[in-house]
Amino acid sequence: MKIALHQIAYQIGIHPTELAKLVYDGEITGEVPDRNPQSKDAWVDLHSLRNFIQWRYDQGRMEELVYGKSIRHIDKWLSRK
């Protein structure tokens, strides 16, 4: 499911520029037109983002509190559709 990059970034505690870089690097599925993370057309795939956050947590690169908050927000958006 697609969501506007700027809409989810702050909710999960990642700056939009950092989230856009993850898209550029192929870590997360999405699109950032004109390399502008604030673009209304910039989006990320929530399933891809959830998998990435889970992987980062499993690698010990994310604190449990941040992980829980991020997953909660993503799951909330996924349950809306």
Side-chain angles (χ1 to χ4, degrees):
M1 179 180 135
K2 293 180 182 180
I3 188 169
L5 186 146
H6 66 86
Q7 196 169 15
I8 192 73
Y10 289 117
Q11 289 183 353
I12 62 171
I14 299 176
H15 193 276
T17 304
E18 182 183 346
L19 192 53
K21 184 178 180 331
L22 294 171
V23 171
Y24 306 147
D25 294 345
E27 299 285 343
I28 299 171
T29 303
E31 186 176 335
V32 184
D34 300 323
R35 299 184 77 80
N36 178 6
Q38 297 298 329
S39 168
K40 290 183 180 181
D41 294 328
W43 61 272
V44 294
D45 176 75
L46 286 174
H47 294 287
S48 176
L49 180 58
R50 191 180 196 293
N51 289 340
F52 176 78
I53 288 173
Q54 179 69 52
W55 173 79
R56 200 179 243 188
Y57 177 72
D58 291 345
Q59 296 295 314
R61 297 174 52 200
M62 182 177 278
E63 294 179 17
E64 188 170 350
L65 186 62
V66 175
Y67 165 76
K69 175 186 170 188
S70 298
I71 294 297
R72 237 183 351 268
H73 281 293
I74 292 169
D75 286 349
K76 180 178 81 175
W77 280 101
L78 286 171
S79 69
R80 288 182 179 186
K81 300 297 176 188

